[in-house]
């Protein structure tokens, strides 16, 4: 429930009362500032409250943007200000101050709402002011100005603006030109029928899982159906975000579902392709697992770099300046967005290749494309990091430490050893190299020894805050080391079922790592320490897998991987669902790089 306090008497012919009610507000009319303060005090503290000038003239969507967005405690447009429960105290103080200063005089002299916003700003309180573009929102001072404002409202189709703004501001070429031109209308259709973004997100997941099932049949008809359904799933995936922007239905849970389901859909489809290939006598599980490892590590590079730099100061990188110059040349923007193979281009490629080729060719193309994209983006970010002069914050260093996912063994090493081996990145790199060499040495117990060294270096790598220019590479190194260990040892086991079990284990662990990212992005903090301890941390799982490979037979190792995958999946899923279903984190919506 929301309440809007309309200050002053509505002008004859004004639609402001109806507009506010259409947005879900209960409208109450205040004669003066004292009356507005009294009415505001009557609004329950757990409700949204708004103060709106009765002379307001503007588009309904301007009011919607200013008064109903759930992401901001305080927001305003000219002539209107609103507060969610978290901002009610600041709003109440500002209204009381205006009442005291004005002595309760009539509010027709000027706009109380605008004076409140000025008072909030004077207190240093952050008030969100949405970008209105061509939308009109103003408080005319006289009849002539009112007529001009009404003409300006009539000249702009706010529904067209609303539809246009529903499309993500920054997206890939395929999404922008092949999906969004019509998916925005699907979003509007869903909004008018009361569907929520989370329902559309769930429908996209179900469609993708059906596509994976079709791919698993191993028939040409199944592959064609899988490709078509995968594209349709992506259309729905675009629609849910557009619906959220169209109807301002943002939530932390929704952002988490959208991002998590994207990974679940893609990796389930990989598994479906591998199962379909197996029906045709081909074993491509190693390729499927390799694609998942590469894609996940690539995402961790993105997340780590962004977390390390999103609040850094003094960005003086020449590389960033060059990128900004290239942005002025239109075609280079699209080329650079396409070559990083964002989700739209990637899914389109997978869908087409599934329909017309074989799973093996599809995975080869996917691995080559993702490897090139990962090399391009990582190299660019390394150059930016080396050429910029920036001071990274404690928050960024803590986020990188949380992304590192060090467990109890690494923590024990960090506290027990006094000798410091070197900078975090060099120590992590050395441990990863030792582990990689041991995996291919051919000696049974060499991977265990390599994992021990890796555990020691994991503890050493986080002995100080990760504030070095390239320390954001530490979490991706750890992801590559852990996932790569599982992949190599499962492949070396050379027993039917080992690679599918490894696929399941990496998928469960990757879910945990993605969940960590989304918690940090939503300002909800890292997963609880008990969860990290319970599943061992990256170094504990790596050491355990190497020990299991050394002491068990190939068949037993396959069973052990399966049991470990199920155990990790159950623990992380139960805790993740519990957290996100009950989280009080603020509503968010990701408008960053296409994943």
């Amino acid at each position: 429930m929301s309440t809007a306090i309309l200050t002053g008497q509505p002008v004859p012919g004004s639609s402001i009362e109806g507009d506010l009610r259409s947005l879900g507000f209960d409208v109450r009319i205040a004669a003066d500032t004292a009356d507005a303060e009294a009415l505001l005090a009557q609004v329950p503290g757990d409700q949204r409250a708004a103060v709106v000038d009765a002379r307001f003239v503007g588009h309904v969507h301007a009011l919607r943007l200013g008064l109903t967005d759930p992401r901001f405690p305080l927001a305003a447009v000219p002539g209107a200000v609103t507060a969610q429960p978290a901002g009610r105290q600041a709003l109440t103080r500002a209204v009381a101050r205006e009442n005291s200063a004005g002595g309760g005089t009539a509010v027709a002299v000027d706009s109380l709402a605008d004076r409140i916003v000025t008072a909030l700003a004077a207190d240093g309180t952050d008030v969100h002011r949405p970008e209105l573009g061509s939308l009109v929102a103003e408080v005319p001072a006289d009849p002539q100005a009112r007529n001009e404002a009404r003409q300006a409202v009539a000249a702009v189709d706010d529904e067209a603006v609303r539809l246009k703004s529903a499309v993500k501001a920054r997206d890939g070429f395929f999404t922008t030109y092949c999906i969004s031109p019509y998916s925005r209308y699907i979003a509007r259709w869903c909004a008018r029928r009361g569907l929520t973004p989370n329902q559309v997100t769930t429908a996209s997941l179900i469609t993708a899982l059906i596509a994976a099932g079709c791919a698993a049949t191993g028939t040409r008809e199944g592959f064609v159906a899988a490709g078509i359904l995968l594209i349709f799933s992506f259309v729905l995936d675009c629609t849910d975000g557009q619906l959220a922007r169209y109807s301002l239905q943002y939530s932390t849970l929704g952002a988490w579902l959208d991002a998590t389901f994207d990974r679940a859909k893609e990796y389930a489809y990989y598994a479906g392709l591998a199962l379909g290939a197996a029906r045709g006598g081909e074993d491509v599980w190693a390729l499927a697992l390799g694609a998942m490892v590469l894609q996940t590590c690539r995402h961790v590079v993105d997340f780590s770099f962004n977390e390390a730099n999103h609040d850094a100061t003094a960005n003086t990188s020449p590389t960033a300046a060059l990128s900004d110059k290239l942005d002025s040349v239109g075609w280079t923007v699209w080329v650079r967005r396409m070559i990083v193979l964002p989700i739209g281009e990637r899914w389109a490629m997978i869908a087409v290749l599934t329909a017309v080729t074989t799973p093996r060719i599809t995975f080869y193309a996917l691995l080559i494309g993702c490897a090139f994209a990962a090399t391009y983006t990582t190299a660019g970010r390394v150059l930016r990091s080396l050429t910029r002069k920036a001071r990274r914050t404690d928050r960024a260093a803590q986020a990188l430490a949380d992304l590192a996912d060090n467990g109890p063994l690494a923590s024990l090493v960090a506290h027990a050893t006094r000798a410091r081996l070197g900078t975090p990145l060099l120590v992590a790199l050395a441990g990863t190299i030792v582990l990689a060499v041991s995996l291919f040495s051919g000696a049974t117990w060499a991977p265990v020894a390599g994992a021990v060294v890796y555990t020691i270096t994991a503890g050493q790598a986080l002995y100080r805050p990760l504030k070095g220019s390239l320390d954001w590479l530490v979490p991706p190194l750890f992801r590559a080391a852990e996932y790569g260990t599982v992949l190599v040892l499962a492949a070396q086991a050379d027993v039917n079922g080992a690679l599918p079990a490894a696929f399941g284990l990496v998928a469960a662990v990757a879910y945990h790592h993605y969940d960590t990212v989304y918690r940090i992005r939503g300002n909800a903090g890292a997963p609880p320490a008990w969860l990290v301890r319970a599943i061992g941390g990256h170094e504990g799982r790596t050491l355990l897998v190497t020990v299991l490979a050394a002491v068990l037979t190939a068949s037993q190792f396959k069973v052990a991987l399966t049991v470990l995958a199920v155990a990790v999946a159950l623990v992380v899923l139960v805790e993740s669902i519990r957290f996100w279903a009950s989280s009080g984190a603020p509503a968010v919506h990701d408008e960053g790089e296409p994943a």
Side-chain angles (χ1 to χ4, degrees):
M1 186 66 181
S2 303
T3 300
I5 299 169
L6 205 59
T7 58
Q9 291 298 322
V11 177
S14 171
S15 62
I16 184 63
E17 286 188 75
D19 291 342
L20 289 171
R21 290 194 174 94
S22 72
L23 296 176
F25 285 93
D26 176 29
V27 180
R28 302 177 188 179
I29 298 177
D32 54 28
T33 307
D35 196 15
E37 182 181 6
L39 289 174
L40 181 62
Q42 296 173 13
V43 180
D46 61 349
Q47 290 186 13
R48 176 190 287 274
V51 176
V52 183
D53 195 295
R55 298 166 297 164
F56 177 90
V57 175
H59 290 98
V60 176
H61 192 51
L63 283 173
R64 182 182 289 108
L65 290 172
L67 302 183
T68 68
D69 196 322
R71 296 173 294 176
F72 309 102
L74 290 158
V77 292
V81 60
T82 186
Q84 293 198 76
R88 282 288 303 278
Q89 188 175 7
L91 179 65
T92 300
R93 285 198 307 265
V95 173
R97 181 184 303 175
E98 289 304 308
N99 184 30
S100 175
T105 56
V107 297
V109 177
D110 57 6
S111 174
L112 174 61
D114 292 341
R115 298 203 314 267
I116 291 172
V117 174
T118 301
L120 289 169
D123 286 340
T125 305
D126 185 28
V127 180
H128 172 67
R129 293 178 174 84
E131 178 63 47
L132 298 180
S134 59
L135 295 175
V136 177
E138 58 183 88
V139 179
D142 53 59
Q144 180 179 350
R146 173 172 297 277
N147 288 333
E148 292 174 352
R150 286 176 172 173
Q151 291 173 8
V153 170
V156 177
D157 184 353
D158 71 336
E159 178 61 20
V161 173
R162 189 180 178 188
L163 271 175
K164 183 178 179 180
S165 62
V167 177
K168 199 171 183 179
R170 178 181 175 87
D171 226 325
F173 180 89
F174 179 78
T175 304
T176 300
Y177 291 103
C178 299
I179 304 296
S180 293
Y182 57 88
S183 61
R184 70 184 74 180
Y185 295 101
I186 300 176
R188 182 173 65 180
W189 183 90
C190 292
R192 291 177 175 177
R193 282 152 184 81
L195 297 177
T196 67
N198 291 351
Q199 290 171 332
V200 178
T201 301
T202 303
S204 176
L205 173 66
I206 293 172
T207 304
L209 293 179
I210 295 173
C214 291
T217 63
T219 64
R220 178 50 53 194
E221 293 79 6
F223 288 147
V224 172
I228 294 172
L229 287 171
L230 187 64
I231 291 295
F232 183 59
S233 173
F234 182 65
V235 172
L236 293 176
D237 182 58
C238 295
T239 300
D240 62 5
Q242 291 165 358
L243 175 58
R245 285 180 286 272
Y246 181 85
S247 56
L248 300 185
Q249 297 184 73
Y250 300 120
S251 69
T252 298
L253 175 62
W256 169 73
L257 285 177
D258 184 37
T260 303
F261 283 5
D262 278 350
R263 306 289 82 80
K265 288 180 287 189
E266 188 166 2
Y267 298 158
Y269 193 81
Y270 293 173
L273 280 177
L275 289 170
R279 288 181 176 274
E282 279 198 293
D283 185 357
V284 297
W285 276 105
L287 297 177
L289 180 51
M292 181 167 65
V293 169
L294 179 58
Q295 189 61 26
T296 304
C297 290
R298 176 189 165 197
H299 279 142
V300 176
V301 168
D302 296 342
F303 299 146
S304 294
F305 179 81
N306 290 336
E307 287 302 324
N309 294 286
H310 85 283
D311 57 356
T313 57
N315 183 0
T316 56
S317 168
T319 309
L322 175 60
S323 179
D324 292 339
K325 289 181 179 179
L326 288 174
D327 284 344
S328 64
V329 183
W331 64 269
T332 66
V333 175
W334 293 117
V335 169
R336 285 183 292 134
R337 289 188 191 179
M338 291 175 68
I339 62 177
V340 301
L341 209 64
I343 188 170
E345 277 75 359
R346 190 167 68 250
W347 282 26
M349 181 186 74
I350 293 171
V352 171
L353 291 178
T354 298
V356 301
T357 65
T358 66
R360 182 175 295 276
I361 294 175
T362 301
F363 281 124
Y364 280 150
L366 182 62
L367 286 166
I368 293 170
C370 286
F372 177 81
T375 302
Y376 171 79
T377 55
T378 304
R381 286 167 180 173
V382 167
L383 285 174
R384 288 192 182 201
S385 299
L386 291 174
T387 56
R388 75 185 297 175
K389 297 177 181 178
R391 180 176 300 172
R392 291 179 174 84
T393 64
D394 292 336
R395 180 204 175 280
Q398 184 58 53
L400 291 178
D402 293 334
L403 289 173
D405 193 35
N406 270 7
L409 292 179
S411 298
L412 178 63
V413 168
H415 288 93
T417 57
R418 295 184 179 180
R420 301 308 182 190
L421 302 179
T423 62
L425 177 60
L426 290 179
V427 171
L429 182 60
T432 302
I433 292 174
V434 170
L435 177 61
V437 171
S438 70
L439 291 173
F440 295 99
S441 66
T444 302
W445 285 91
V448 177
V452 170
V453 173
Y454 174 73
T455 299
I456 295 172
T457 57
Q460 285 283 313
L462 267 66
Y463 79 90
R464 67 181 186 184
L466 299 177
K467 292 187 175 182
S469 60
L470 294 178
D471 283 351
W472 56 270
L473 285 169
V474 171
L477 274 175
F478 287 162
R479 297 297 82 76
E482 180 184 0
Y483 300 161
T485 297
V486 177
L487 169 58
V488 172
L489 292 179
Q492 290 176 349
D494 196 24
V495 61
N496 189 33
L499 281 167
F503 188 97
L505 176 58
V506 171
V509 174
Y511 177 90
H512 164 62
H513 291 142
Y514 279 115
D515 187 56
T516 301
V517 168
Y518 303 135
R519 291 187 190 222
I520 294 172
R521 277 188 169 183
N523 294 316
W530 72 260
L531 176 65
V532 177
R533 290 194 297 267
I535 59 177
H538 70 96
E539 83 290 348
R541 291 186 298 269
T542 302
L543 181 59
L544 176 60
V545 170
T546 59
V547 171
L548 292 174
V551 302
L552 300 178
T553 65
S555 296
Q556 291 171 335
F557 180 59
K558 174 189 71 176
V559 174
L561 286 179
T562 303
V563 172
L564 186 58
V566 172
V568 171
L570 284 176
V571 173
V572 300
L573 279 172
V574 169
E575 161 56 20
S576 178
I577 293 171
R578 181 209 64 79
F579 172 80
W580 289 105
S582 61
S583 173
V588 297
H589 193 78
D590 178 26
E591 292 287 354
E593 295 284 349

